[in-house]
Amino acid sequence: MEKKSFWKGYMTGSALFIVTAVVLYFNFMTQPDLSLSQVETQDLNGNKVNLENYIGKPLVVNYWATWCAPCRAEFPEFEKTKQQYGEEVNFIMISDEPIEKITKFSKSNPYTFNYLKSSKDLSSYGINTRPTTYFYNSKGELVAKEMANLDAAKLNELIKKIK
C-alpha cells in the first residue's frame, strides 16, 4: 500500500468519524427549547390538554417511557420532591406511548403525578433521549432542561431556579 493512499483513506475516515460524532451529538445529546404551546398533549381519557393552562405555578415536565429503566428509577425522587412542594409546583409526566400503556403504569405505581400522552412522537419535537426534564417558571418560560436521571437534591436545585 502506498503511503499517499493510506493517508488519504485515514483522513477521509477521520473526517467521516468527526461529522458522524457531531451529528449524533446534536441529535441525541442536546434538546430543543420547547415552549408550552409547542407540545400537544391529551389526558388519559383522550381529552386535549393545553400545557399553557399550567402557567401561574412553576412547572416540571418530564418526558419518559414505561420501557425506560432510568425514567422509572427517578420516579421515586420526583414523588418525594412533589410531596415536599405540595401544590406550589406542578409535575407533569409526558410519554408518547399508547394511553393504555401509560394508564396501566399509572395504576400499578403509587405516584401522584399528572400523566399525559403526547399527541406526537417525542422525536418530532426533537426529544430523542429519555428521561428529559424541562423546568418552566410561573410565567411559562423555559428556565432549565436536563437529560439525565435526577435525584431529589438536583430537582430541588433546579426548582429553586423556577420559583
Side-chain angles (χ1 to χ4, degrees), residues 10-141:
Y10 177 79
M11 295 304 288
T12 302
S14 296
L16 286 173
F17 175 78
I18 291 169
V19 168
T20 302
V22 168
V23 168
L24 288 173
Y25 174 80
F26 283 106
N27 280 334
F28 294 100
M29 299 307 292
T30 62
Q31 297 301 320
D33 291 344
L34 291 175
S35 70
L36 294 176
S37 63
Q38 286 178 277
V39 183
E40 298 174 24
T41 61
Q42 52 189 299
D43 64 22
L44 299 184
N45 294 317
N47 301 311
K48 184 177 179 178
V49 175
N50 183 344
L51 293 181
E52 290 180 316
N53 293 341
Y54 291 95
I55 291 176
K57 288 184 189 177
L59 175 64
V60 177
V61 178
N62 180 268
Y63 295 96
W64 71 288
T66 59
W67 51 260
C68 171
C71 300
R72 293 189 317 270
E74 73 179 357
F75 272 28
E77 299 293 309
F78 274 85
E79 182 65 25
K80 183 164 81 173
T81 306
K82 182 180 185 299
Q83 295 304 320
Q84 176 186 341
Y85 285 97
E87 297 299 316
E88 293 178 49
V89 178
N90 285 315
F91 286 79
I92 307 291
M93 306 316 218
I94 299 176
S95 175
D96 58 2
E97 295 176 282
I99 287 176
E100 299 77 28
K101 196 171 240 188
I102 301 167
T103 301
K104 182 179 178 186
F105 178 89
S106 71
K107 287 182 178 179
S108 64
N109 290 280
Y111 307 119
T112 59
F113 310 128
N114 189 358
Y115 293 96
L116 297 177
K117 182 200 182 315
S118 175
S119 300
K120 299 179 183 178
D121 287 341
L122 294 179
S123 61
S124 70
Y125 298 117
I127 298 173
N128 297 307
T129 303
R130 290 173 198 60
T132 295
T133 308
Y134 283 65
F135 297 81
Y136 298 89
N137 64 21
S138 61
K139 296 176 185 174
E141 300 165 334

